[in-house]
Amino acid sequence: MKALLVCAALCAGAAGFFACAESFAQKGEKKEPQGTVYAELAAAPEKARKRANPLANDPEAVAAGRLLFEDHCAECHGENAEGGKKGSKHRGPSLRATEVQNAADGAVFWVLTNGVVRKGMPVWSKLPEPQRWQLVRFLKSLGASTADPDVVKR
């Protein structure tokens, strides 16, 4: 009987702990979107999100960013940045999705810089900062599009 009371007390304590932890999590920072490939954009620190693209008004940045994209990104994200095709070895998500196009330039830059290694995206921090901003400028110049059915939908 004593063992049953101890077990009940431990279970009640654990339930209280988890309820408290969930309540604390809800009061803390906003949670990133669950189950979406674009969650890393929401995970960018506020300081990073607030960074403005120093090349935002540079028309040459789009052309330079396109060349960088072709060299470093198209293999996974597709020629038109609409995502890797089914059956391809590397299948990155669409960068023309509204989540990317509506994200702050600084958040996109942060993801480029830090990568999403667990999902297969490399860290691009060794790419010079101006070139990373050129990539951001190029991606934002594309605008959102509806991906065709052969494109990866994660």
Side-chain angles (χ1 to χ4, degrees):
M1 179 69 155
K2 189 175 185 181
L4 185 59
L5 289 174
V6 170
C7 182
L10 287 173
C11 289
F17 171 77
F18 288 113
C20 180
E22 177 64 23
S23 174
F24 179 77
Q26 289 174 355
K27 292 178 185 173
E29 289 188 34
K30 64 181 179 185
K31 293 180 182 178
E32 63 184 64
Q34 296 294 318
T36 173
V37 71
Y38 303 106
E40 291 301 315
L41 291 166
E46 184 177 352
K47 184 177 179 180
R49 284 193 308 270
K50 288 184 176 182
R51 286 188 71 182
N53 186 342
L55 305 176
N57 297 317
D58 182 353
E60 294 176 11
V62 175
R66 176 182 303 278
L67 294 174
L68 289 164
F69 181 85
E70 290 169 358
D71 288 345
H72 301 290
C73 312
E75 179 181 352
C76 295
H77 295 285
E79 291 177 19
N80 298 314
E82 290 183 332
K85 299 285 182 185
K86 285 183 181 176
S88 67
K89 183 178 177 184
H90 304 287
R91 294 177 40 171
S94 173
L95 300 176
R96 297 184 69 179
T98 55
E99 293 89 341
V100 177
Q101 294 299 313
N102 293 337
D105 286 0
V108 177
F109 180 85
W110 184 82
V111 171
L112 280 171
T113 301
N114 295 289
V116 187
V117 178
R118 70 184 180 286
K119 300 255 185 193
M121 182 178 164
V123 172
W124 291 106
S125 60
K126 293 197 181 200
L127 193 64
E129 190 169 308
Q131 291 182 343
R132 284 179 272 149
W133 283 119
Q134 289 170 342
L135 277 167
V136 172
R137 179 71 176 96
F138 168 69
L139 292 174
K140 292 300 191 106
S141 76
L142 296 173
S145 75
T146 306
D148 73 50
D150 290 336
V151 173
V152 174
K153 293 190 170 107
R154 292 192 197 179

